[in-house]
Amino acid sequence: MSSGEAQRLAAPERGADLDDLAFIRDRRVGHLATADAGGKPSVVPVVYALVVLDGDPAIAIAIDEKPKGDARALRRVRNILERPEVALVVDDYHEDWRSLAWVLVRGAASLIEPGSPGHAEALTALRLKYPQYGVMRLEASPVILIRNVSTTSWTGSDTGGEKPAERFGREELAALVRGRRSVRAFDTQPVPRPIVEEAIAAAGWAPSPHGRQPWRFVVVESPERRNALADAMAETWRAQLRLDGQGRQIVEARLEKSRDRLQRAPFLIIPCLYLAGLDVYPDPDRQRAEETMAIQSLGAAVQNLLLSLYAAGVDGGWMCAPLFCPDVVQAVLGLDTALKPHALIALGYAASDPVRRPRLPLDELIVDWQ
Ligand SMILES: Cc1cc2nc3c(=O)[nH]c(=O)nc-3n(C[C@H](O)[C@H](O)[C@H](O)COP(=O)(O)O)c2cc1C
């Protein structure tokens, strides 16, 4: 049907929606449901064409296979003769279910013999739509015409699913991602506990291997615990810095700065790797890969946490110290040995606006695009 014909269609008196008719017009295969006098249903795939007869939409279906030369031997034809009510469903399938769609047509079907009103129009519409019919001798065959059509339809976007580009304010997201920065000096203003809980909940939404969330978070709030943690980690760090050959004064200055950070931040969060729920492999290579996936995922969880804090006006500073002395952290905080401390996030309100580190330009980040 041309667009002109679509416009010529009568207003949807019997519930035939113009958009639904356009959908049907543009698809090539449908499924025709008929039933016999006793109600026994039958469904067959059909090709069809939309025709306009006396200003009303109708659907034409050719009969191009005739067992023993008799169209009436076909079940769909016998059913229609016994019971004219039929349904035709035309649908779109897509792996993105927001793009699913179908239109259901109901109507009264009849068998139209050659020479009867509508037969010639039906054949013309079918031949225009399907060139295959051009070489078939259909003039002497009856066609099925569905009239009094009404339509019902549904699309995946009816569920409220939107296209990705329309989901969120992209500018806001960019501002959030670019605004976050590491803060290493905090003032003493307390951070409301719900902000911390919300940030940890956001961490929980990070992607993870097999969806098993191989990380847990320890929150350290009490000053005594923070001091004990700072002291214990300082011992290890002092020994390590001295091992690196750093002078005593420099070592003590760095330790003091780190201790100050841990003591001033209202909360410390220790993201721990928790491998208990992950797959176990007989070979070390796959086992290592499994653990690497968990560590990658821990990084994603921490980023969610930092962005959530930043959105709430709270800053965080990522410290790697626990990674270098996990057993010390476990011991001083009395943690289960299945929890492997991987980092420490000191969080609070920034004492000053820190200098931002520059970032690589996009063309350095993308090393290949094929
Ligand atoms: C795994 C990891 C460990 C880090 N460890 C420390 C740390 O021990 N001390 C520190 O001051 N910053 C640490 N950072 C923060 C980085 O120095 C910081 O993210 C980087 O310089 C970029 O700056 P920005 O976070 O302000 O954008 C760490 C970051 C990551 C991802």
Side-chain angles (χ1 to χ4, degrees), residues 21 61 81 109 114 121 163 205 224 261 266 276 303 328 345 354-355:
L21 292 175
I61 298 166
L81 293 175
E121 292 88 331
K163 299 289 179 200
W205 287 102
E224 300 77 38
R261 201 191 310 187
Q303 173 72 344
V328 169
I345 311 298
V355 177

Side-chain angles (χ1 to χ4, degrees), residues 208-217 271-281 286-298 323 330 336-342:
S208 67
H210 326 296
R212 300 213 189 118
Q213 299 182 252
W215 16 259
R216 297 290 186 272
F217 301 88
C272 299
L273 202 64
Y274 182 67
L275 301 172
L278 286 188
D279 285 352
V280 176
Y281 294 99
R286 275 188 295 171
Q287 200 57 50
R288 248 194 317 275
E290 185 78 1
E291 189 166 329
T292 302
M293 288 197 292
I295 296 168
Q296 291 170 341
S297 164
L298 182 136
L323 194 57
Q330 278 172 343
D336 190 309
T337 51
L339 294 168
K340 302 194 185 318
H342 262 245

Side-chain angles (χ1 to χ4, degrees), residues 2-329:
S2 70
S3 59
E5 283 172 309
Q7 276 157 16
R8 272 201 284 124
L9 291 176
E13 291 168 18
R14 302 183 190 94
D17 179 84
L18 280 185
D19 285 338
D20 290 349
L21 292 175
F23 181 95
I24 294 168
R25 176 198 62 201
D26 295 336
R27 280 22 180 215
R28 300 187 71 72
V29 182
H31 286 82
L32 176 72
T34 58
D36 66 14
K40 191 174 168 198
S42 165
V43 179
V44 280
V46 291
V47 293
Y48 61 85
L50 200 56
V51 274
V52 181
L53 296 173
D54 302 320
D56 284 333
I59 289 167
I61 298 166
I63 298 171
D64 49 16
E65 355 98 56
K66 293 184 289 286
K68 301 183 201 113
D70 183 8
R72 284 167 177 76
L74 287 171
R75 175 172 298 280
R76 83 202 71 141
V77 175
R78 274 190 283 133
N79 284 355
I80 285 168
L81 293 175
E82 286 176 28
R83 188 180 184 132
E85 303 100 291
V86 296
L88 174 79
V89 70
V90 179
D91 69 283
D92 275 347
Y93 181 79
H94 197 282
E95 289 303 332
D96 178 350
W97 284 9
R98 288 166 299 198
S99 300
L100 296 180
W102 54 255
V103 171
L104 175 69
V105 179
R106 290 183 195 281
S110 53
L111 201 61
I112 308 295
E113 294 296 342
S116 301
H119 187 273
E121 292 88 331
L123 269 196
T124 304
L126 285 162
R127 284 184 165 145
L128 278 174
K129 187 171 175 185
Y130 303 98
Q132 296 90 331
Y133 279 147
V135 292
M136 290 188 195
R137 301 172 63 171
L138 298 174
E139 281 75 14
S141 302
V143 293
I144 296 169
L145 265 183
I146 307 173
R147 300 195 216 223
N148 294 342
V149 299
S150 63
T151 60
T152 332
S153 60
W154 178 89
T155 73
S157 57
D158 288 350
T159 59
E162 289 177 348
K163 299 289 179 200
E166 296 154 18
R167 270 186 202 147
F168 298 109
R170 291 160 73 189
E171 283 175 23
E172 271 184 44
L173 178 66
L176 185 67
V177 170
R178 290 172 193 206
R180 183 216 57 83
R181 70 271 204 256
S182 292
V183 164
R184 298 178 175 87
F186 301 96
D187 71 18
T188 49
Q189 196 187 335
V191 170
R193 195 186 164 114
I195 291 181
V196 178
E197 289 172 348
E198 199 177 306
I200 294 173
W205 287 102
S208 67
H210 326 296
R212 300 213 189 118
Q213 299 182 252
W215 16 259
R216 297 290 186 272
F217 301 88
V218 176
V219 182
V220 183
E221 186 179 5
S222 85
E224 300 77 38
R225 290 292 219 175
R226 271 186 282 150
N227 282 339
L229 181 64
D231 287 345
M233 289 198 303
E235 273 312 306
T236 311
W237 203 21
R238 180 179 284 116
Q240 288 168 349
L241 287 174
R242 297 305 304 272
L243 205 65
D244 293 345
Q246 300 221 15
R248 185 179 296 274
Q249 265 186 336
I250 295 174
V251 170
E252 292 309 318
R254 290 185 70 181
L255 286 176
E256 194 44 47
K257 223 170 143 186
S258 166
R259 182 193 300 275
D260 186 58
R261 201 191 310 187
L262 299 190
Q263 283 171 340
R264 271 158 124 19
F267 286 100
L268 307 177
I269 297 179
I270 302 180
C272 299
L273 202 64
Y274 182 67
L275 301 172
L278 286 188
D279 285 352
V280 176
Y281 294 99
D283 54 306
D285 282 353
R286 275 188 295 171
Q287 200 57 50
R288 248 194 317 275
E290 185 78 1
E291 189 166 329
T292 302
M293 288 197 292
I295 296 168
Q296 291 170 341
S297 164
L298 182 136
V302 172
Q303 173 72 344
N304 272 10
L305 180 134
L306 291 171
L307 290 178
S308 171
L309 289 173
Y310 185 73
V314 175
D315 291 295
W318 189 324
M319 297 171 76
C320 60
L323 194 57
F324 293 90
C325 54
D327 42 349
V328 169
V329 176

